[in-house]
Amino acid sequence: MSVRAKTILLAAAAALALAPFAVQARRAPVRAPAAAAPAAVPAKGPPRLIVAIAVDQFSADLFAQYRSHYTGGLARLAKGAVFPSGYQSHSATETCPGHSTIMTGMHPARTGIIANNWIDQSVARANKQVYCAEDESKTAANPKDYVASVSHLLVPTLGDRLKAAIPASRNVAVSGKDRGALMMGGHTLDEVYWWKGRGFSSLEGRPLSASAVNENKALDAALASGAPGFALPAWCAAQDRAVPVDAASGFTVGTGRYVLKSGDSNAFRASPRLDRATLDLATELVRAMKLGKGAAPDVLSVSLSATDYIGHAYGTEGAEMCIQMQQLDAALGDFLIALDQEKIDYAVVLTADHGGFDLPERLDAQALPAAQRAGEALLPEALSAAVGAKLGLDPKGLILSDGASGDYWVRRELTPAQKDSVISAARAELALNKQVSVTLSASELAAMPMPTGSPETWSLAQRARASFYAPHSGDFYVILARGVVPIVKGGPGYVATHGSAWDYDRRVPMLFWRAGMAGFEQPSPVETVDIAPTLAAWIGLAVPAGTFDGRCLDLDSGPGDMCGTK
Ligand SMILES: [Zn+2]
């Protein structure tokens, strides 16, 4: 091929990459500078629609790293009330617990959502793992084929509370993950959708609305046709380097562009396209349900999952995440413009369910200290073997867990004395492991008071206390040393993760925005459990004292008294 022909092809590919993806092309909003606030006049009274957005795995570090490059939705929100150091204060920094704090205003110790999965040895099925957003009583044998449910969430969300106070209020949730939608939306959802397989799905027995049916049709067509990759923004060039993850197979990350092959729904999911589709469906629901135009304020929860799938598949510092940051900002900008065009008085909060950490291989290549993969000794099989040999007990199923850190359970058929000796022996074994920072028994955690005060000063044990709920929690809890990633071996789709008690996984941005509000930035640490009390005050919903673990943040930079505490 001639150089000229090659150049033309490359130019065509670049143009395609810049062209709106088929799904968004149907209803591209009129372009306006997304960062510009549409109204200079401060809105009066409670907003008519609360839009609560969780960007899955959007760490405070990512927000800070890319902030100067945002020109769309994130740039607009960053002109409101900015809390760059929000905390998912608890230790088990996973998706389900994180989402459970945002709209309830409570730590996982009270929401009951201690992790994405826990072990319940009393369930009837052979596999004792229970997923946070399933109804295990309805699942025959396999937790992989579960019935989605919010029954494990012990407390109401803001949408639930508002609806209980004013039944005309609508409560709607959309996400790339069932747990994202359900844990933010709660128990009384008028509409709820999440990505499942190759389109949006809802709770068992609920027919899809016309909005969801139409979105799924568009997604079907988009998936069938495939799509070219995204162009690399110039400011991503430094990150565009291949990092070897597995020398034997030659598997690398760092230089991806998200080319979508026809029918590859997994690739669709781990790409910016998932967020675009989620926001498209949210927009359609706002229009179809006339959210924000009813007799009472409405609540729309949106959880955008692509950043998390991308972080797991490619890490946080490669070209892939850089492209995602640009595309997320653009998709959020279009979403806010679409809301402006509906002429709704809406208020936005944007945060994350947890932070994230890059893959150890890239951190190593950059000569950054102390990042490593967890060793197999932390897995329940290895721990069972070591403890079983020491105590003369059958190692099979002696110690159970959902991974290489966090909660561990001891076989329930043992006598109380045997159980105590297994816990002691396991903790003694782990105390010798340099990858372990601290272990805590359930009884130690149960005896601790709930932590209060500024979350950056909490001890590791206090962080674990905020994740402890006895009926779901393990018999002991393991906190790894800083920089130890609880993935024993990285491979395609899963090279990096979060879930630790360290601040790279706990710190998230918290941005509040409403047209006309006077923006400000407050660098002091705040918590994601502060969001629900703040929103409750913003919409004028009275909630009894002591309901929330968090506190109302006064978003009025002037002499106002939004929180009613002055
Ligand atoms: Zn997550």
Side-chain angles (χ1 to χ4, degrees):
M1 189 189 301
S2 73
V3 172
R4 188 178 136 71
K6 212 170 185 175
T7 309
I8 290 168
L9 268 180
L10 281 172
L16 270 175
L18 289 170
F21 184 57
V23 176
Q24 74 240 28
R26 288 178 294 130
R27 43 182 119 86
V30 177
R31 278 273 169 190
V41 183
K44 292 257 190 309
R48 304 303 298 168
L49 173 65
I50 294 287
V51 181
I53 303 172
V55 175
D56 204 311
Q57 205 187 124
F58 188 40
S59 64
D61 294 332
L62 274 182
F63 175 64
Q65 184 177 352
Y66 288 103
R67 194 168 171 183
S68 65
H69 296 293
Y70 297 136
T71 57
L74 288 165
R76 190 199 290 196
L77 299 181
K79 288 183 179 161
V82 177
F83 298 88
S85 204
Y87 275 76
Q88 290 278 3
S89 311
H90 53 276
S91 62
T93 49
E94 295 184 335
T95 296
C96 217
H99 279 93
S100 84
T101 70
I102 297 168
M103 297 298 272
T104 66
M106 298 184 208
H107 296 301
R110 288 176 70 199
T111 69
I113 307 298
I114 57 142
N116 282 348
N117 300 291
W118 54 84
I119 308 283
D120 181 350
Q121 298 180 69
S122 71
V123 294
R125 65 190 181 204
N127 190 326
K128 305 300 183 191
Q129 190 180 74
V130 172
Y131 173 56
C132 63
E134 74 161 315
D135 179 351
E136 64 272 21
S137 71
K138 286 188 183 165
T139 314
N142 185 355
K144 298 271 178 247
D145 187 29
Y146 58 84
V147 174
S149 163
V150 74
S151 59
H152 289 303
L153 181 68
L154 300 173
V155 293
T157 62
L158 185 78
D160 291 331
R161 289 182 191 282
L162 189 54
K163 213 173 169 61
I166 319 174
S169 170
R170 274 86 51 82
N171 184 17
V172 175
V174 188
S175 173
K177 299 179 181 177
D178 51 13
R179 56 190 180 278
L182 292 169
M183 295 301 148
M184 285 181 84
H187 305 271
T188 52
L189 280 155
D190 293 87
E191 298 277 347
V192 56
Y193 297 103
W194 57 84
W195 174 265
K196 187 178 180 187
R198 54 174 298 142
F200 287 95
S201 182
S202 189
L203 289 166
E204 191 179 55
R206 287 203 187 195
L208 300 190
S209 65
S211 301
V213 169
N214 290 339
E215 184 62 33
N216 284 350
K217 272 187 200 150
L219 286 167
D220 258 346
L223 267 166
S225 65
F230 292 84
L232 188 78
W235 40 272
C236 296
Q239 271 123 318
D240 191 28
R241 285 182 294 121
V243 175
V245 180
D246 182 25
S249 66
F251 171 59
T252 68
V253 297
T255 59
R257 298 290 190 273
Y258 305 111
V259 174
L260 182 66
K261 289 188 197 128
S262 171
D264 190 348
S265 57
N266 279 338
F268 181 94
R269 193 179 73 162
S271 84
R273 300 173 184 103
L274 176 63
D275 288 347
R276 182 64 82 163
T278 306
L279 288 166
D280 274 351
L281 178 53
T283 304
E284 283 303 295
L285 289 166
V286 167
R287 289 175 182 157
M289 299 177 74
K290 298 188 166 44
L291 294 180
K293 295 177 181 175
D298 298 316
V299 179
L300 170 65
S301 298
V302 181
S303 172
L304 301 173
S305 310
T307 305
D308 185 67
Y309 285 122
I310 289 162
H312 285 302
Y314 308 107
T316 61
E317 299 302 319
E320 299 93 344
M321 187 59 84
C322 197
I323 291 170
Q324 164 62 5
M325 289 293 103
Q326 183 207 38
Q327 293 296 319
L328 169 69
D329 176 49
L332 281 168
D334 290 345
F335 174 62
L336 297 181
I337 290 168
L339 294 182
D340 300 339
Q341 290 173 341
E342 294 304 303
K343 307 212 180 308
I344 308 163
D345 176 11
Y346 65 97
V348 182
V349 59
L350 182 144
T351 188
D353 55 341
H354 50 76
F357 196 59
D358 203 16
L359 60 152
E361 290 81 3
R362 181 157 40 219
L363 292 165
D364 275 353
Q366 295 169 343
L368 288 165
Q372 54 185 283
R373 294 198 176 278
E376 289 189 7
L378 294 162
L379 295 175
E381 297 78 15
L383 210 48
S384 295
V387 171
K390 197 167 165 186
L391 300 179
L393 291 168
D394 179 2
K396 192 165 185 303
L398 185 59
I399 295 170
L400 308 159
S401 80
D402 182 40
S405 62
D407 286 288
Y408 290 71
W409 289 260
V410 176
R411 187 163 64 217
R412 71 170 184 159
E413 289 80 11
L414 300 181
T415 66
Q418 282 176 320
K419 219 171 148 178
D420 283 346
S421 52
V422 169
I423 294 168
S424 297
R427 294 180 70 189
E429 184 76 17
L430 291 162
L432 302 172
N433 189 326
K434 291 209 167 12
Q435 291 194 317
V436 173
S437 206
V438 65
T439 67
L440 296 141
S441 69
S443 47
E444 286 168 347
L445 287 167
M448 285 174 62
M450 277 290 285
T452 55
S454 202
E456 90 280 23
T457 65
W458 291 11
S459 67
L460 293 176
Q462 286 179 309
R463 299 171 196 189
R465 177 64 186 88
S467 278
F468 178 77
Y469 172 65
H472 293 167
S473 289
D475 295 305
F476 62 96
Y477 193 88
V478 178
I479 296 181
L480 299 183
R482 193 186 189 284
V484 179
V485 174
I487 299 177
V488 173
K489 186 171 165 26
Y494 198 54
V495 299
T497 196
H498 49 83
S500 83
W502 298 96
D503 279 0
Y504 48 78
D505 285 340
R506 294 170 81 220
R507 282 182 64 240
V508 296
M510 283 168 45
L511 314 175
F512 296 84
W513 181 90
R514 186 183 185 189
M517 84 183 272
F520 66 91
E521 180 145 348
Q522 174 49 263
S524 288
V526 292
E527 299 186 75
T528 54
V529 294
D530 299 335
I531 291 172
T534 302
L535 296 178
W538 218 355
I539 54 178
L541 178 71
V543 177
T547 297
F548 299 118
D549 289 336
R551 68 209 157 104
C552 172
L553 304 170
D554 192 348
L555 304 180
D556 190 340
S557 57
D561 187 15
M562 185 184 119
C563 296
T565 50
K566 285 175 194 163

